[in-house]
Amino acid sequence: MSSPSVSYLVPVLNEASRLAEAVQAALGQEYAGEQEVVVAVAPSSDGTEEVAAALAAADPRVRVVDNPATDIPAGLNRALAASTGEVVVRVDAHSALPEGYTRRMVEVLVETGAANAGGIMRAEGRTPLQESIARAYNSGLGLGGGVHHAGSAAGPAETAYLGVFRRSALLAVGGYDETLRRGEDYDLNERLRSAGYEVWFVPDVEVTYWPREDWRPLVRQMWATGVWRGEMVRRNGRTRLRYLAAPAVVAGLGTSAAVALSGLDRRHPLPFALAHLAPVAYAGFLGWVAATAGATAPRDRARDAAVVATIQASWGAGFLKGVTRGAGTTVDRSRVRRR
């Protein structure tokens, strides 16, 4: 397995402006083995299908498959079925693979025997708001963060960002779960580990990620992600403690508001007035965020705090919905553009 063939799987929806760059970053990797790109295109409104077709016409290493189900797990499975590589590289159109990424990750698979390898997700921004969102991602302040946000030690991990997989392991666990509309990466890595495979973290490799660029898409993304995380907990009854922080914030603030509206805090100062400690403590936390997230200008610091609050409120409320009532038909529409 010194230079196995590689397939890059690229699920896309409304990514006409970014698809060519993502494909070029994959095929531009300096790697000795054979490489191919399989693009799974969901029904789009911005000409993504035409861009994908043009890329395939210009390079025989690029193939296009339809993803009528729209969801990412379904697109990844369709691309997987159409691919042939011994190694499978998951690609996101909003990420940029660095030079040497494929070569390094294949080396890790060979050296460690792992089934999947992933590096650091390094969020970046082009606008002031996107920069604030990126700082929240990189610090882990928004949702606590996994090892792929700020880890420094190589070794086994619970999950990996994107992922470079042994095809045999990916097929052995049945690929991606198409009943999950979010959280498919975490679920896949959990099933790999349950089957006896290792997931390996590689801290010396950073993949650039471009987060949402506006408030409404950020809220939609975090709500849907929280809902499906709650659905996953509802299904298997397990979760990491860090995923309970945002729901606890929402529950605490909601309890405080309910007590104030009911007047219980005025009629019975103890214990109901204690509920108001939640917003006081959270205000202190947001003040700490503003001071430590990395911004220097007062306006940027205030925006950083507002971003963290938005992420936690949207994700936490979504989690509570998902864990109590299930995900239902919830889907992330943050990338969908109106016609």
Side-chain angles (χ1 to χ4, degrees):
M1 198 180 175
S2 57
S3 296
S5 56
V6 170
S7 295
Y8 300 92
L9 311 186
V10 192
V12 290
L13 167 66
N14 288 326
E15 299 291 0
S17 63
R18 297 180 176 88
L19 179 55
E21 182 180 353
V23 171
Q24 290 164 5
L27 294 179
Q29 293 287 311
E30 293 184 3
Y31 179 70
E34 294 182 0
Q35 300 181 88
E36 66 174 1
V37 174
V38 183
V39 183
V41 183
S44 300
S45 59
D46 68 343
T48 298
E49 291 96 332
E50 290 77 9
V51 173
L55 291 169
D59 194 324
R61 296 174 296 173
V62 179
R63 252 179 298 161
V64 179
V65 296
D66 292 329
N67 177 25
T70 302
D71 297 328
I72 290 175
L76 287 167
N77 282 342
R78 281 155 181 72
L80 176 63
S83 67
T84 60
E86 298 170 79
V87 169
V88 173
V89 180
R90 187 202 188 303
V91 178
D92 187 325
H94 281 257
S95 296
L97 301 184
E99 294 182 6
Y101 178 80
T102 301
R103 182 179 65 253
R104 175 72 178 117
M105 292 304 183
V106 171
E107 288 174 354
V108 170
L109 294 183
V110 173
E111 292 169 0
T112 66
N116 182 20
I120 291 281
M121 185 187 86
R122 183 65 62 203
E124 295 187 9
R126 297 185 177 95
T127 66
L129 175 55
Q130 196 177 36
E131 288 176 350
S132 286
I133 297 172
R135 281 192 287 272
Y137 270 95
N138 293 335
S139 68
L141 290 174
L143 296 174
V147 66
H148 57 280
H149 288 292
S152 59
E158 63 178 301
T159 190
Y161 178 56
L162 297 180
V164 177
F165 303 84
R166 292 178 184 267
R167 182 186 190 85
S168 57
L170 196 51
L171 294 177
V173 298
Y176 291 87
D177 184 348
E178 295 186 25
T179 69
L180 294 173
R181 306 183 93 168
R182 297 288 295 176
E184 70 282 348
D185 292 320
Y186 188 93
D187 169 78
L188 173 61
N189 286 299
E190 188 173 59
R191 286 186 285 117
L192 283 169
R193 290 187 291 107
S194 296
Y197 296 102
E198 275 193 328
V199 177
W200 204 265
F201 173 61
V202 187
D204 59 308
V205 175
E206 294 187 357
V207 179
T208 299
Y209 170 74
W210 301 99
R212 303 305 190 261
E213 301 173 1
D214 207 348
W215 292 104
R216 181 174 294 181
L218 178 65
V219 169
R220 288 176 173 175
Q221 177 197 22
M222 290 301 157
W223 164 263
T225 305
V227 167
W228 282 100
R229 173 63 62 178
E231 170 69 23
M232 291 168 65
V233 174
R234 184 183 176 91
R235 292 184 187 189
N236 59 38
R238 302 188 306 274
T239 187
R240 299 279 178 173
L241 287 177
R242 69 171 180 272
Y243 292 122
L244 299 179
V249 167
V250 172
L253 295 179
T255 299
S256 178
V259 167
L261 290 173
S262 68
L264 287 172
D265 55 336
R266 294 186 296 274
R267 295 194 298 272
H268 307 284
L270 290 176
F272 291 104
L274 295 177
H276 299 321
L277 291 177
V280 172
Y282 194 59
F285 167 74
L286 293 179
W288 177 78
V289 169
T292 62
T296 54
R299 178 179 296 181
D300 293 337
R301 290 186 174 187
R303 189 189 308 108
D304 285 357
V307 163
V308 168
T310 299
I311 289 174
Q312 292 183 336
S314 304
W315 196 96
F319 179 94
L320 292 174
K321 188 269 184 186
V323 79
T324 57
R325 297 164 51 197
T329 59
T330 301
V331 64
D332 178 11
R333 300 189 181 280
S334 61
R335 301 289 197 199
V336 176
R337 302 176 179 86
R338 295 182 178 180
R339 292 181 182 274

